[in-house]
Amino acid sequence: MSKPNGKRYRLETVKRSYSEAVGGERVEFEVGPEDNPQVFSFPHPIFTPDDVQQELNEAKGDEAGARILLGDQYAEFIAAGGDVNSLMLLYVGVRSEAQDKVQKVRPTRG
């Protein structure tokens, strides 16, 4: 139930506004030939679960980070010609871009 003066936020609405601002809760990317790429995804940096974020912080190198981000997709990503360094550069770039975007978000109430 909303407060009469409208000073209360609905967490679902707040999350949705941030998700819309950054393009969704997952980041999709392609690997392979342009005429037949394979699509992979990882959690958007602002929506990465705490346990995954902790693992990323403790990861030693790009391969470890890529394994954490992709989980079960990792072997298929490598088989498709995926490059772990490029993947981690993408992650860092998306995280940096998100910091700029989320500063402009003004969560709406209810």
Side-chain angles (χ1 to χ4, degrees):
M1 180 185 310
S2 296
K3 287 175 67 172
N5 62 7
K7 300 262 186 202
R8 184 177 294 158
Y9 291 93
R10 292 198 43 81
L11 292 182
E12 297 83 5
T13 304
V14 171
K15 184 175 182 179
R16 185 173 47 248
S17 65
Y18 279 94
S19 178
E20 290 170 0
V22 299
E25 293 183 37
R26 294 196 63 83
V27 175
E28 290 188 346
F29 62 97
E30 298 178 347
V31 174
E34 287 187 35
D35 61 336
N36 190 25
Q38 287 185 258
V39 177
F40 299 93
S41 67
F42 57 83
H44 193 285
I46 69 168
F47 295 107
T48 302
D50 287 346
D51 60 332
V52 174
Q53 189 60 56
Q54 183 68 30
E55 288 181 50
L56 284 170
N57 291 342
E58 296 170 0
K60 304 281 192 242
D62 289 345
E63 181 181 347
R67 285 180 181 277
I68 293 163
L69 278 178
L70 295 177
D72 293 342
Q73 303 173 88
Y74 182 79
E76 191 176 350
F77 168 74
I78 294 300
D83 171 54
V84 296
N85 183 256
S86 295
L87 173 62
M88 297 314 293
L89 288 172
L90 173 62
Y91 181 80
V92 169
V94 169
R95 185 178 61 202
S96 177
E97 181 181 302
Q99 290 171 346
D100 293 337
K101 288 182 179 180
V102 298
Q103 289 177 1
K104 297 174 186 169
V105 173
R106 297 293 174 250
T108 56
R109 293 174 175 89

